[in-house]
């Protein structure tokens, strides 16, 4: 069996790969210790991407025949279900994704019922943002933007979360309007075809 971790902060449950290739979520037996994925990655820096190991794991930057190197840029997307960091190499109209990490935070869980962000989702999202800041610092990448979408925009505690997220990242988080979110999503889909 192989363990697939869906959320590094999930210390009570694991995903186990079945013989048919599907994954099944399981809880440990009463006397067993759960697989503590977050602690495992914190104890093994070469696996977690902290420090110099991360720089080595990224592919070399794109370069032009004339010797011009690509610019590295990143985006942090704080969504209703997940928080994602994606890093790209950009050279002219060429865009190459070089890093992609997603944490299933669940900020929007229960939003319709409560009108607020999920408390556990907030904690998971802020933890992911802290990790992403460390990754960006290790890569010496300053050209990145953080955006939040529907859940943060609609929640009554969204503005408070945005302030906390900005403090964790060390820069402001932009809350996208519904129109901007739709436009940027369409541009992302279009870019994936070129």
């Amino acid at each position: 069996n192989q363990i697939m971790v869906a959320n590094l902060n999930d210390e009570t449950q694991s995903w186990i790969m079945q013989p048919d290739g599907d994954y099944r979520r399981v809880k440990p037996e009463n006397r067993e210790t759960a697989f503590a994925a977050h602690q495992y990655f914190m104890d093994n820096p070469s696996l977690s991407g902290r420090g110099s190991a991360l720089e080595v794991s990224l592919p070399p930057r794109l370069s032009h025949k004339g010797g011009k190197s690509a610019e590295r840029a990143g985006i942090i997307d704080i969504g209703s279900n997940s928080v994602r960091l994606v890093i790209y190499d950009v050279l002219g109209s060429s865009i190459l994704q070089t890093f992609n990490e997603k944490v299933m935070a669940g900020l929007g869980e229960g939003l319709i019922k409560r009108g607020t962000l999920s408390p556990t989702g907030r904690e998971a999202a802020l933890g992911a943002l802290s990790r992403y800041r460390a990754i960006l610092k290790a890569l010496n990448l300053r050209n990145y933007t953080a955006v939040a979408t529907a859940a943060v925009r609609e929640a009554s505690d969204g503005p408070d979360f945005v302030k906390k997220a900005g403090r964790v990242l060390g820069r402001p988080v932009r809350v996208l309007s519904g129109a901007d979110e739709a436009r940027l999503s369409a541009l992302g889909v279009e870019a994936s075809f070129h």
Side-chain angles (χ1 to χ4, degrees):
N1 285 345
Q2 296 177 352
I3 297 173
M4 180 186 98
V5 179
N7 181 341
L8 293 181
N9 290 320
D10 184 350
E11 301 204 1
T12 61
Q13 299 183 36
S14 301
W15 292 80
I16 304 296
M17 186 171 143
Q18 303 300 299
D20 64 1
D22 285 341
Y23 288 90
R24 179 175 55 88
R25 191 169 191 145
V26 295
K27 290 185 177 184
E29 297 295 324
N30 291 338
R31 292 183 298 269
E32 289 181 348
T33 302
F35 176 72
H38 179 72
Q39 191 60 49
Y40 178 77
F41 279 99
M42 295 309 287
D43 292 340
N44 294 279
S46 63
L47 297 174
S48 68
R50 291 182 286 131
S52 61
L54 184 62
E55 184 64 41
V56 174
S57 69
L58 289 179
R61 292 185 186 198
L62 292 173
S63 60
H64 189 269
K65 289 180 185 176
K68 182 180 177 186
S69 289
E71 179 180 345
R72 193 156 272 165
I75 183 75
I76 296 173
D77 177 6
I78 304 168
S80 299
N81 295 310
S82 66
V83 180
R84 182 186 296 257
L85 167 64
V86 184
I87 298 174
Y88 298 93
D89 280 352
V90 181
L91 181 62
S93 62
S94 298
I95 301 171
L96 174 67
Q97 181 179 301
T98 58
F99 183 87
N100 186 339
E101 181 173 308
K102 176 170 67 171
V103 172
M104 299 302 293
L107 273 173
E109 187 178 329
L111 174 64
I112 294 173
K113 184 185 265 187
R114 286 187 318 274
T116 62
L117 298 171
S118 161
T120 56
R122 285 174 62 113
E123 185 178 321
L126 293 172
L129 295 175
S130 178
R131 175 176 163 73
Y132 296 166
R133 183 176 184 181
I135 290 169
L136 293 163
K137 183 178 180 182
L139 292 172
N140 197 27
L141 198 159
R142 294 184 187 101
N143 182 18
Y144 69 93
T145 300
V147 298
T149 57
V152 174
R153 183 175 60 243
E154 295 168 9
S156 62
D157 58 346
D160 178 61
F161 174 80
V162 167
K163 286 179 191 171
K164 288 180 179 170
R167 282 197 295 272
V168 168
L169 285 173
R171 67 174 57 193
V173 173
R174 177 179 169 206
V175 179
L176 296 177
S177 69
D180 280 344
E181 184 177 350
R183 182 179 57 80
L184 292 171
S185 294
L187 287 173
V189 170
E190 181 184 9
S192 71
F193 290 108
H194 299 291

